């Protein structure tokens, strides 16, 4: 009677298989987490673009529908380069609704039935709570505060966050100076000289906005070139007319 040989794996074969499994698991780990990072960054980029769209929608509508711009105060065109990002109330807008059916005895003045005040506030984000890189640039959050005052004395307030992760946010108006005094040396000289639009400013009814917003910066992302950033330069025109009250 023949006794068969016992078969099995040698120690070298087991080591080779284990080594191959380690390499396969390592590459699978790298692919999985690289795909996870890519998906996360894509979602963050979409949220950044959504924040940009929200700023355009809310600020654009509020400026166009306003009847009075309280803040920012108009500045000269040559002072625009000195405008920087500041926290606190950066823009205050008011819009009034007139009801011709009521008498000129509204508590709000004249025939005004409702006054809406919009305040845009820029506040610094708490980096320690957001999981951001503390050594990176300062980031801000844009908040919209709306107060609706009725002629019967009722006030409704609303507060909402418009966008996060803002690196720069500058809003300003420029004074319109279409003419400047001119020396008169002869009969053909003009007393005033016209100034080109590029040098004269755009007027009090046009609000200019410069904003830089980036996606959420992770702790290990110190290189700013790796962070998705969007820059916007635009202007909004106030179409509402001022409502003057009799003194």
């Amino acid at each position: 009677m023949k006794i068969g040989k016992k078969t099995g794996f040698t120690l070298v074969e087991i080591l080779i298989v284990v080594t191959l499994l380690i390499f396969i698991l390592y590459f699978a780990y790298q692919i999985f987490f690289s795909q996870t990072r890519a998906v996360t960054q894509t979602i963050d980029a979409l949220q950044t673009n959504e924040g940009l769209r929200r700023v355009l929608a809310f600020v654009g509508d509020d400026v166009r529908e306003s009847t009075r711009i309280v803040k920012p105060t108009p500045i000269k065109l040559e002072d625009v380069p000195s405008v920087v990002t500041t926290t606190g109330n950066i823009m205050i807008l008011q819009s009034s609704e007139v009801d011709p059916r009521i008498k000129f005895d509204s508590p709000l003045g004249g025939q005004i039935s409702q006054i809406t005040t919009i305040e845009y506030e820029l506040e610094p984000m708490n980096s320690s709570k957001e999981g951001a890189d503390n050594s990176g640039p300062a980031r801000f959050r844009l908040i919209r505060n709306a107060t609706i005052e009725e002629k019967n004395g009722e006030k409704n307030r609303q507060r909402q966050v418009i966008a996060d992760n803002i690196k720069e946010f500058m809003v300003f108006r420029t004074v319109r100076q279409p003419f400047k005094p001119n020396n008169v040396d002869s009969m053909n000289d003009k007393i005033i000289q016209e100034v080109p639009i590029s040098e004269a400013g755009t007027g009090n009814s046009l609000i200019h906005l410069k904003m830089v917003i980036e996606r959420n910066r992770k702790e290990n992302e110190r290189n700013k070139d790796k962070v998705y950033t969007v820059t916007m330069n635009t202007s909004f025109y106030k179409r509402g007319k001022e409502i003057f009250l009799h003194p």
Side-chain angles (χ1 to χ4, degrees):
M1 185 173 66
K2 283 187 177 180
I3 300 176
K5 260 189 177 182
K6 292 184 178 179
T7 59
F9 297 103
T10 64
L11 180 61
V12 175
E13 291 173 335
I14 293 174
L15 290 176
I16 292 174
V17 171
V18 170
T19 303
L20 290 175
L21 285 175
I22 291 174
F23 273 106
I24 293 172
L25 290 175
Y26 173 77
F27 285 113
Y29 172 87
Q30 292 294 326
I31 293 173
F32 173 77
F33 280 96
S34 64
Q35 292 296 323
T36 302
R37 285 194 298 268
V39 171
T40 302
Q41 291 178 359
T42 302
I43 294 174
D44 288 341
L46 291 174
Q47 292 177 345
T48 301
N49 292 332
E50 178 62 23
L52 185 71
R53 284 191 290 268
R54 286 172 62 86
V55 172
L56 283 172
F58 279 95
V59 176
D61 289 343
D62 290 337
V63 172
R64 282 188 290 266
E65 295 175 2
S66 64
T67 56
R68 182 189 177 201
I69 300 176
V70 181
K71 196 174 182 179
T73 304
I75 60 174
K76 294 181 179 179
L77 188 62
E78 55 266 26
D79 295 333
V80 170
S82 64
V83 178
V84 295
T85 301
T86 57
T87 56
N89 284 340
I90 56 175
M91 184 166 56
I92 302 176
L93 309 169
Q94 283 187 342
S95 60
S96 304
E97 294 185 9
V98 176
D99 188 352
R101 297 171 298 180
I102 64 177
K103 298 179 180 179
F104 284 85
D105 57 357
S106 171
L108 303 178
Q111 292 179 303
I112 298 177
S113 61
Q114 177 180 295
I115 295 178
T116 302
T117 303
I118 307 294
E119 297 181 359
Y120 279 93
E121 177 186 353
L122 199 66
E123 68 173 19
M125 296 177 63
N126 191 342
S127 299
S128 61
K129 291 184 179 181
E130 298 292 336
D133 182 6
N134 295 331
S135 64
R139 294 184 300 166
F140 307 93
R141 175 182 292 112
L142 183 65
I143 299 173
R144 179 182 183 268
N145 299 305
T147 302
I148 301 175
E149 185 177 0
E150 306 283 350
K151 63 182 178 64
N152 58 7
E154 292 185 2
K155 287 186 178 181
N156 298 316
R157 292 181 174 87
Q158 185 183 57
R159 178 181 175 90
Q160 59 189 135
V161 177
I162 303 300
D164 290 324
N165 296 322
I166 296 174
K167 290 177 60 178
E168 298 178 14
F169 195 95
M170 294 164 287
V171 57
F172 58 92
R173 292 187 289 167
T174 56
V175 181
R176 175 80 170 140
Q177 297 175 318
F179 303 100
K180 65 179 181 179
N182 190 27
N183 294 327
V184 180
D185 296 328
S186 63
M187 293 292 294
N188 295 327
D189 289 341
K190 296 181 179 179
I191 298 179
I192 57 176
Q193 180 182 353
E194 296 181 0
V195 179
I197 295 179
S198 58
E199 302 175 8
T202 53
N204 298 337
S205 297
L206 198 64
I207 285 186
H208 306 280
L209 174 63
K210 294 182 179 180
M211 186 181 73
V212 178
I213 184 173
E214 68 177 18
R215 68 166 171 80
N216 190 29
R217 183 188 290 266
K218 309 301 180 184
E219 292 182 358
N220 59 346
E221 291 180 323
R222 299 181 181 274
N223 188 353
K224 63 180 182 179
D225 297 331
K226 294 183 179 180
V227 180
Y228 180 76
T229 304
V230 180
T231 301
M232 177 180 67
N233 295 325
T234 187
S235 302
F236 304 102
Y237 183 74
K238 177 182 75 70
R239 296 184 296 190
K241 302 299 181 183
E242 297 278 356
I243 297 177
F244 297 98
L245 303 179
H246 193 280

PDB file of all heavy atoms in Angstrom, residues 45 65 76 81 99-100 126 130-131 136 187 200 215 228 247:
ATOM      1  N   ALA A  45     -16.241  72.846  -3.341  1.00  0.00           N
ATOM      2  CA  ALA A  45     -16.224  73.809  -4.446  1.00  0.00           C
ATOM      3  C   ALA A  45     -17.643  74.195  -4.853  1.00  0.00           C
ATOM      4  O   ALA A  45     -17.925  75.367  -5.145  1.00  0.00           O
ATOM      5  CB  ALA A  45     -15.471  73.218  -5.643  1.00  0.00           C
ATOM      6  N   GLU A  65     -33.672  97.187  -5.154  1.00  0.00           N
ATOM      7  CA  GLU A  65     -34.984  97.522  -4.615  1.00  0.00           C
ATOM      8  C   GLU A  65     -34.936  98.605  -3.541  1.00  0.00           C
ATOM      9  O   GLU A  65     -35.974  99.075  -3.090  1.00  0.00           O
ATOM     10  CB  GLU A  65     -35.642  96.272  -4.033  1.00  0.00           C
ATOM     11  CG  GLU A  65     -35.957  95.212  -5.085  1.00  0.00           C
ATOM     12  CD  GLU A  65     -36.504  93.941  -4.470  1.00  0.00           C
ATOM     13  OE1 GLU A  65     -36.665  93.921  -3.216  1.00  0.00           O
ATOM     14  OE2 GLU A  65     -36.760  92.974  -5.215  1.00  0.00           O
ATOM     15  N   LYS A  76     -14.070 109.346  -2.818  1.00  0.00           N
ATOM     16  CA  LYS A  76     -13.502 109.796  -4.084  1.00  0.00           C
ATOM     17  C   LYS A  76     -12.891 108.617  -4.831  1.00  0.00           C
ATOM     18  O   LYS A  76     -12.452 107.640  -4.222  1.00  0.00           O
ATOM     19  CB  LYS A  76     -12.452 110.873  -3.845  1.00  0.00           C
ATOM     20  CG  LYS A  76     -13.007 112.161  -3.270  1.00  0.00           C
ATOM     21  CD  LYS A  76     -11.899 113.190  -3.095  1.00  0.00           C
ATOM     22  CE  LYS A  76     -12.456 114.493  -2.535  1.00  0.00           C
ATOM     23  NZ  LYS A  76     -11.386 115.501  -2.331  1.00  0.00           N
ATOM     24  N   PRO A  81      -8.314 102.528  -4.002  1.00  0.00           N
ATOM     25  CA  PRO A  81      -7.265 101.546  -3.658  1.00  0.00           C
ATOM     26  C   PRO A  81      -7.049 101.372  -2.160  1.00  0.00           C
ATOM     27  O   PRO A  81      -6.487 100.355  -1.729  1.00  0.00           O
ATOM     28  CB  PRO A  81      -6.012 102.123  -4.331  1.00  0.00           C
ATOM     29  CG  PRO A  81      -6.537 102.949  -5.464  1.00  0.00           C
ATOM     30  CD  PRO A  81      -7.811 103.539  -4.960  1.00  0.00           C
ATOM     31  N   ASP A  99     -48.254 103.890   0.284  1.00  0.00           N
ATOM     32  CA  ASP A  99     -49.634 103.497   0.019  1.00  0.00           C
ATOM     33  C   ASP A  99     -50.467 104.768  -0.173  1.00  0.00           C
ATOM     34  O   ASP A  99     -50.722 105.497   0.788  1.00  0.00           O
ATOM     35  CB  ASP A  99     -50.186 102.675   1.183  1.00  0.00           C
ATOM     36  CG  ASP A  99     -51.553 102.075   0.873  1.00  0.00           C
ATOM     37  OD1 ASP A  99     -52.132 102.429  -0.175  1.00  0.00           O
ATOM     38  OD2 ASP A  99     -52.034 101.258   1.680  1.00  0.00           O
ATOM     39  N   PRO A 100     -50.876 105.067  -1.413  1.00  0.00           N
ATOM     40  CA  PRO A 100     -51.627 106.310  -1.664  1.00  0.00           C
ATOM     41  C   PRO A 100     -53.010 106.323  -1.014  1.00  0.00           C
ATOM     42  O   PRO A 100     -53.660 107.370  -0.963  1.00  0.00           O
ATOM     43  CB  PRO A 100     -51.726 106.357  -3.184  1.00  0.00           C
ATOM     44  CG  PRO A 100     -51.597 104.932  -3.624  1.00  0.00           C
ATOM     45  CD  PRO A 100     -50.676 104.292  -2.641  1.00  0.00           C
ATOM     46  N   ASN A 126     -14.581  81.619  13.517  1.00  0.00           N
ATOM     47  CA  ASN A 126     -13.774  81.032  14.576  1.00  0.00           C
ATOM     48  C   ASN A 126     -13.033  79.833  14.008  1.00  0.00           C
ATOM     49  O   ASN A 126     -13.598  78.764  13.846  1.00  0.00           O
ATOM     50  CB  ASN A 126     -14.659  80.610  15.750  1.00  0.00           C
ATOM     51  CG  ASN A 126     -13.845  80.242  16.966  1.00  0.00           C
ATOM     52  OD1 ASN A 126     -12.647  79.983  16.868  1.00  0.00           O
ATOM     53  ND2 ASN A 126     -14.485  80.233  18.114  1.00  0.00           N
ATOM     54  N   GLU A 130     -13.954  75.679  13.328  1.00  0.00           N
ATOM     55  CA  GLU A 130     -14.260  75.284  11.953  1.00  0.00           C
ATOM     56  C   GLU A 130     -13.294  74.230  11.423  1.00  0.00           C
ATOM     57  O   GLU A 130     -13.439  73.762  10.315  1.00  0.00           O
ATOM     58  CB  GLU A 130     -14.209  76.529  11.037  1.00  0.00           C
ATOM     59  CG  GLU A 130     -15.218  77.602  11.395  1.00  0.00           C
ATOM     60  CD  GLU A 130     -16.635  77.153  11.133  1.00  0.00           C
ATOM     61  OE1 GLU A 130     -16.824  76.260  10.292  1.00  0.00           O
ATOM     62  OE2 GLU A 130     -17.545  77.678  11.779  1.00  0.00           O
ATOM     63  N   GLY A 131     -12.263  73.891  12.209  1.00  0.00           N
ATOM     64  CA  GLY A 131     -11.297  72.909  11.734  1.00  0.00           C
ATOM     65  C   GLY A 131     -10.429  73.443  10.629  1.00  0.00           C
ATOM     66  O   GLY A 131      -9.961  72.709   9.770  1.00  0.00           O
ATOM     67  N   GLY A 136      -3.409  80.146   8.300  1.00  0.00           N
ATOM     68  CA  GLY A 136      -3.819  80.666   6.993  1.00  0.00           C
ATOM     69  C   GLY A 136      -4.421  82.057   7.102  1.00  0.00           C
ATOM     70  O   GLY A 136      -4.447  82.673   8.174  1.00  0.00           O
ATOM     71  N   MET A 187     -10.664 134.333 -24.106  1.00  0.00           N
ATOM     72  CA  MET A 187     -12.105 134.345 -24.324  1.00  0.00           C
ATOM     73  C   MET A 187     -12.655 132.950 -24.612  1.00  0.00           C
ATOM     74  O   MET A 187     -13.806 132.654 -24.311  1.00  0.00           O
ATOM     75  CB  MET A 187     -12.442 135.284 -25.491  1.00  0.00           C
ATOM     76  CG  MET A 187     -12.154 136.753 -25.197  1.00  0.00           C
ATOM     77  SD  MET A 187     -13.252 137.415 -23.938  1.00  0.00           S
ATOM     78  CE  MET A 187     -14.821 137.329 -24.789  1.00  0.00           C
ATOM     79  N   ALA A 200     -14.115 110.418 -13.149  1.00  0.00           N
ATOM     80  CA  ALA A 200     -15.126 111.230 -12.468  1.00  0.00           C
ATOM     81  C   ALA A 200     -15.882 110.475 -11.390  1.00  0.00           C
ATOM     82  O   ALA A 200     -16.589 111.072 -10.596  1.00  0.00           O
ATOM     83  CB  ALA A 200     -16.132 111.777 -13.491  1.00  0.00           C
ATOM     84  N   ARG A 215     -13.083  77.650  -0.823  1.00  0.00           N
ATOM     85  CA  ARG A 215     -13.715  76.503  -0.177  1.00  0.00           C
ATOM     86  C   ARG A 215     -13.070  76.279   1.180  1.00  0.00           C
ATOM     87  O   ARG A 215     -12.056  76.879   1.515  1.00  0.00           O
ATOM     88  CB  ARG A 215     -13.599  75.254  -1.054  1.00  0.00           C
ATOM     89  CG  ARG A 215     -12.192  74.720  -1.208  1.00  0.00           C
ATOM     90  CD  ARG A 215     -12.202  73.316  -1.799  1.00  0.00           C
ATOM     91  NE  ARG A 215     -10.876  72.860  -2.162  1.00  0.00           N
ATOM     92  CZ  ARG A 215     -10.012  72.376  -1.292  1.00  0.00           C
ATOM     93  NH1 ARG A 215     -10.297  72.311  -0.016  1.00  0.00           N
ATOM     94  NH2 ARG A 215      -8.818  71.958  -1.691  1.00  0.00           N
ATOM     95  N   TYR A 228      -9.469  75.837  -3.735  1.00  0.00           N
ATOM     96  CA  TYR A 228     -10.348  76.403  -4.764  1.00  0.00           C
ATOM     97  C   TYR A 228     -10.833  77.789  -4.328  1.00  0.00           C
ATOM     98  O   TYR A 228     -11.429  77.949  -3.265  1.00  0.00           O
ATOM     99  CB  TYR A 228     -11.536  75.466  -4.982  1.00  0.00           C
ATOM    100  CG  TYR A 228     -12.522  75.942  -6.023  1.00  0.00           C
ATOM    101  CD1 TYR A 228     -12.232  75.838  -7.375  1.00  0.00           C
ATOM    102  CD2 TYR A 228     -13.741  76.505  -5.646  1.00  0.00           C
ATOM    103  CE1 TYR A 228     -13.135  76.263  -8.330  1.00  0.00           C
ATOM    104  CE2 TYR A 228     -14.647  76.939  -6.598  1.00  0.00           C
ATOM    105  CZ  TYR A 228     -14.339  76.812  -7.938  1.00  0.00           C
ATOM    106  OH  TYR A 228     -15.224  77.252  -8.887  1.00  0.00           O
ATOM    107  N   PRO A 247     -40.673 118.844   5.595  1.00  0.00           N
ATOM    108  CA  PRO A 247     -40.073 119.161   6.904  1.00  0.00           C
ATOM    109  C   PRO A 247     -41.137 119.614   7.882  1.00  0.00           C
ATOM    110  O   PRO A 247     -40.919 119.533   9.080  1.00  0.00           O
ATOM    111  CB  PRO A 247     -39.121 120.309   6.562  1.00  0.00           C
ATOM    112  CG  PRO A 247     -39.633 120.897   5.282  1.00  0.00           C
ATOM    113  CD  PRO A 247     -40.228 119.746   4.526  1.00  0.00           C
TER     114      PRO A 247
END
